[in-house]
Amino acid sequence: MNINFTIIGQSISMLVFVWLCMKYIWPPIMNALDERRQRIADGLADAEQGTKDLELAKGRAAEIIREAKQQASEITDAANQRAGRIVDEGRDDGQKARERQLAAANAEIEQEINRAREHLRGQVADIAVAGAEKILQREIDPKAHKKLLDELVAQI
Amino acid sequence: MSYRGSGLKDMAAQEHGGETTTTDYILHHLQNLTYGRHPDGAWGFAHTAEEAKEMGFWAIHVDSMFWSVLLGLVFFFLFRRVAKNVTSGVPGGFQNFIESIVVFVDESVRETFQGRNPLIAPLALTLFVWIFLMNFMDLIPVDWIPGVASLMGISHQKVVPTADPNVTMGMSLSVFVLVLYYSIKVKGVRGFAAELTLHPFSAKNPVLKVLLIPINLVLEGVSLLAKPLSLGLRLFGNLYAGELIFILIALLGLWQMPLHLAWAIFHILVITLQAFIFMMLTIVYLSLAHEDH
């Protein structure tokens, strides 16, 4: 238990080991720890940013959905209106067509009637002439009495 | 009495030329392997405690230095291995272990040391781990390494470097030199001198001030010198006493086993605590050296 040169030997070896630690051990480990701390901080910040972004995106999505719904209802309304209009137009067209057809049919009927009347008139004249022929035979000359007969036919 | 390691018994017997007694056994365990110059001028190992004493200052405790440097290298290579492959990503098990020690030391330094000095934290880490490893040698059964050494023909072997006052005082004196260096660097020679001479008693009167200087110098000088002395002796005392009790327990034959276990478990606390105290006081002293009033 004597104090001797060991005390100086130990001092020197201590300074050497402290120097080695200061140069080769402490800086790399501390750098790694700082770097990891930074990475964790960045990660947490990113996560927070992500949550915020998600919140924003959710808001925007809701907005878009709302707009889309509004547009859809507008489109449906417009379509309904147009459909109503088309139906109305169709109905009007149908009405007109029917009236037109009716008018054409009536005109044709009129025409037919007139034609039949004409025809009938001719036939009645012929019948009257034939009857008068039969009754009068000799006395009446068809050529001489044609004027008279025509007047008669026109009165029928 | 039963001694483990017959070689050791023979060595102890040779020393005193006859019967080995309990006292011889204990003294043999407390004797360092000393290399130095004999009074007759020849260099060599001391064979007895008297011879070692006669060598004076120019002798070296080979066992203390060997274990101290070896454990310092163990510290350096363990930590260097991690430092070289360190990753800022997910750390492996061993890196995690080393990191937890580094972070523990770093936090202790941050809490105590307010200034900025890149030396303090590595110094604290080195002291803490190195002293812990040296203290840890105390937990190895006292006869194992000396027994093996005696088979190899080495007469003495004291394996706990921190139970050698040279080792603990060597470290505390290095710390003291650092304290002086930083005191002068931070406060200047005038500031440091003022701190030593103008406190704790101060006076407005210049004559009284001069008269108080010697008193202050004595008080401050004592408190300044007491720091390294107490720092070194505290560690030495604790480990020396611990080792002595291990040696005494080793004398008890079969009964030593439960006692040794109990004392070893308690000693785990002591060796860790002493390493921590040495580190903390070093930080505190250097922190005081950096305080500029």
Side-chain angles (χ1 to χ4, degrees):
Chain A
M1 238 205 285
N2 317 300
I3 294 295
N4 55 27
F5 188 72
T6 314
I7 200 168
I8 292 170
Q10 177 69 14
S11 298
I12 293 166
S13 44
M14 175 181 149
L15 294 178
V16 169
F17 281 124
V18 169
W19 179 76
L20 284 175
C21 178
M22 199 172 131
K23 195 149 172 64
Y24 295 109
I25 292 172
W26 194 263
I29 293 181
M30 267 300 143
N31 282 344
L33 288 175
D34 287 345
E35 207 173 294
R36 185 179 310 144
R37 199 169 293 135
Q38 190 56 46
R39 278 172 65 175
I40 291 171
D42 288 351
L44 287 176
D46 284 353
E48 206 167 310
Q49 187 61 40
T51 318
K52 225 179 269 171
D53 286 353
L54 185 65
E55 209 77 11
L56 266 161
K58 270 184 184 167
R60 270 189 54 202
E63 181 84 3
I64 287 168
I65 288 171
R66 211 165 46 74
E67 273 174 19
K69 273 183 180 164
Q70 203 179 329
Q71 274 184 12
S73 73
E74 276 169 14
I75 289 168
T76 322
D77 284 354
N80 280 339
Q81 275 178 14
R82 242 184 102 191
R85 212 160 52 230
I86 287 166
V87 169
D88 286 351
E89 275 171 12
R91 196 182 290 142
D92 288 356
D93 284 356
Q95 187 82 20
K96 274 178 197 155
R98 206 177 65 207
E99 280 168 6
R100 211 164 42 236
Q101 275 172 0
L102 210 59
N106 281 343
E108 208 170 324
I109 289 165
E110 199 82 21
Q111 232 168 1
E112 283 298 321
I113 289 171
N114 283 344
R115 197 179 298 140
R117 198 176 279 158
E118 267 330 294
H119 193 66
L120 208 59
R121 211 176 269 157
Q123 275 187 350
V124 167
D126 284 350
I127 290 167
V129 170
E133 254 177 24
K134 280 207 172 132
I135 297 163
L136 299 174
Q137 249 164 350
R138 284 183 305 195
E139 284 138 83
I140 297 170
D141 181 7
K143 280 168 192 155
H145 297 95
K146 192 175 183 320
K147 198 177 177 228
L148 190 73
L149 283 172
D150 281 347
E151 275 170 20
L152 194 71
V153 169
Q155 277 171 9
I156 295 169
Chain B
M1 300 300 154
S2 74
Y3 307 146
R4 272 130 115 246
S6 60
L8 199 71
K9 190 177 162 188
D10 295 343
M11 283 291 182
Q14 273 174 18
E15 216 171 276
H16 290 265
E19 282 290 300
T20 49
T21 63
T22 308
T23 319
D24 292 337
Y25 175 78
I26 295 170
L27 287 177
H28 185 259
H29 263 291
L30 294 178
Q31 177 58 42
N32 282 105
L33 180 65
T34 313
Y35 183 85
R37 195 160 180 249
H38 291 291
D40 60 11
W43 290 83
F45 286 104
H47 300 292
T48 62
E50 289 74 34
E51 275 187 36
K53 210 175 198 104
E54 281 163 3
M55 284 175 176
F57 184 77
W58 295 105
I60 191 161
H61 292 160
V62 177
D63 46 2
S64 289
M65 284 314 299
F66 172 76
W67 291 108
S68 155
V69 170
L70 181 75
L71 293 167
L73 290 174
V74 166
F75 155 72
F76 177 70
F77 284 111
L78 278 183
F79 279 68
R80 180 65 193 150
R81 226 182 78 193
V82 168
K84 228 193 266 175
N85 307 317
V86 74
T87 164
S88 63
V90 181
F94 188 58
Q95 189 188 333
N96 211 348
F97 171 68
I98 296 294
E99 268 181 17
S100 64
I101 297 172
V102 171
V103 167
F104 166 70
V105 171
D106 189 47
E107 275 172 7
S108 304
V109 171
R110 272 176 215 278
E111 277 168 19
T112 315
F113 189 81
Q114 304 301 333
R116 279 186 60 82
N117 188 336
L119 172 73
I120 307 300
L123 172 71
L125 177 70
T126 310
L127 284 177
F128 179 63
V129 180
W130 193 20
I131 292 174
F132 175 80
L133 288 174
M134 290 195 283
N135 291 353
F136 189 83
M137 297 301 287
D138 217 1
L139 295 179
I140 298 170
V142 288
D143 279 321
W144 284 13
I145 295 171
V148 172
S150 74
L151 289 179
M152 289 160 61
I154 298 165
S155 62
H156 296 83
Q157 195 64 221
K158 209 174 150 201
V159 297
V160 189
T162 40
D164 180 349
N166 288 292
V167 168
T168 61
M169 289 310 293
M171 289 190 292
S172 70
L173 283 179
S174 302
V175 171
F176 185 59
V177 168
L178 286 175
V179 166
L180 291 180
Y181 172 72
Y182 282 114
S183 291
I184 291 168
K185 193 185 172 194
V186 172
K187 299 163 190 170
V189 179
R190 277 173 155 276
F192 188 46
E195 196 179 84
L196 288 179
T197 51
L198 303 178
H199 296 276
F201 301 115
S202 55
K204 289 257 188 275
N205 189 335
V207 179
L208 203 60
K209 210 172 185 177
V210 171
L211 283 176
L212 284 172
I213 282 176
I215 303 168
N216 284 332
L217 191 60
V218 168
L219 286 170
E220 286 292 318
V222 166
S223 84
L224 185 72
L225 294 176
K227 283 173 186 170
L229 207 63
S230 67
L231 186 66
L233 289 182
R234 178 184 303 106
L235 180 61
F236 161 69
N238 274 282
L239 269 291
Y240 186 77
E243 198 198 13
L244 199 59
I245 289 170
F246 274 122
I247 295 168
L248 292 175
I249 288 171
L251 286 164
L252 293 178
L254 259 186
W255 281 107
Q256 68 175 284
M257 293 175 105
L259 274 172
H260 181 273
L261 181 69
W263 181 242
I265 289 170
F266 175 66
H267 215 60
I268 293 172
L269 179 70
V270 174
I271 63 175
T272 318
L273 195 64
Q274 287 305 321
F276 176 69
I277 288 172
F278 198 100
M279 175 191 84
M280 276 318 285
L281 286 177
T282 302
I283 301 170
V284 169
Y285 293 158
L286 283 167
S287 170
L288 289 175
H290 281 73
E291 265 173 24
D292 201 357
H293 298 293

